[in-house]
């Protein structure tokens, strides 16, 4: 059982630690809102990773044939969502900067924890390559070659915990960034830089397909 847990932890960190467009958005979201919203968004990402780990443990090799035909359209959908988020963030930042200190009153309440969780969960679920990654690990590792139902659950839970710890670390970094750059110009610069980074990563995702 311990070998299965370690395999799940390593798998979770392996998929979570490369900071791509979703990680960049998570940091920027936390910097613009609150640590609570960022933490909920981080748990949304981790929930998707945990679900995909469980699906991979349950389905094994048969998942590749099911997922591969839809990877291209889902990847394009993911790119569109990321670009839309980047554009919205940039437009909002410019509008708030022009409006001055009263902007926070006119632009409404920030993204709440529940919406942040749902948004990042949905965005992460658009990446079907994650389930193939976990399926490959399940099939290729002696520790996970033939799992019982309990061991499958342990593997998925360990992957979730590993992903959650890393995503929460990113959210904490976003909270520190938000406190360090609370001025109007600081918020504008970081929001525009984040939007540019997310757009670049989304385009790279599309071109590398």
């Amino acid at each position: 059982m311990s070998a299965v847990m370690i395999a799940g932890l390593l798998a979770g960190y392996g998929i979570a630690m490369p900071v791509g467009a979703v990680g960049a958005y998570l940091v920027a979201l936390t910097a613009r809102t609150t640590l609570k919203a960022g933490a909920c968004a981080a748990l949304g990402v981790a929930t998707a990773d945990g679900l995909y780990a469980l699906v991979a443990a349950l389905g094994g090799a048969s998942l590749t044939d099911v997922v591969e035909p839809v990877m291209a359209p889902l990847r394009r959908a993911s790119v569109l969502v990321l670009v839309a988020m980047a554009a919205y963030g940039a437009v909002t930042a410019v509008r708030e900067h022009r409006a001055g200190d009263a902007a926070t009153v006119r632009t409404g309440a920030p993204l709440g924890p529940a919406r942040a969780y749902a948004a990042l969960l949905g965005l992460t679920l658009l990446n079907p390559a994650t389930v193939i990654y976990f399926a490959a690990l399940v099939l290729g590792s002696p520790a996970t070659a033939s799992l019982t139902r309990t061991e499958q659950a342990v593997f998925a839970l360990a992957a979730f915990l590993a992903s959650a710890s890393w995503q929460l670390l990113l959210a904490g970094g976003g909270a520190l960034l938000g406190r360090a750059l609370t001025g109007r110009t600081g918020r504008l610069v970081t929001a525009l830089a984040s939007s540019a980074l997310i757009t670049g990563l989304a385009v790279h995702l599309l071109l590398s397909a």
Side-chain angles (χ1 to χ4, degrees), residues 76-171:
R76 287 193 290 269
S78 177
V79 168
L80 289 175
V81 170
L82 287 168
V83 171
M85 286 179 166
Y88 177 78
V91 170
T92 301
V94 171
R95 184 181 300 151
E96 290 182 355
H97 182 73
R98 289 177 176 174
D101 294 334
T104 54
V105 177
R106 292 194 293 269
T107 55
L111 190 66
R115 288 178 58 196
Y117 175 87
L120 269 295
L121 172 64
L123 180 60
T124 310
L125 287 175
L126 284 172
N127 183 15
T130 304
V131 74
I132 293 181
Y133 163 85
F134 281 119
L137 289 177
V138 168
L139 296 171
S141 171
T144 56
S146 55
L147 300 177
T148 65
R149 293 299 186 190
T150 301
E151 289 171 336
Q152 289 169 345
V154 169
F155 176 82
L157 178 61
F160 164 79
L161 292 174
S163 177
S165 65
W166 181 257
Q167 306 302 339
L168 288 170
L169 180 63
L170 291 180

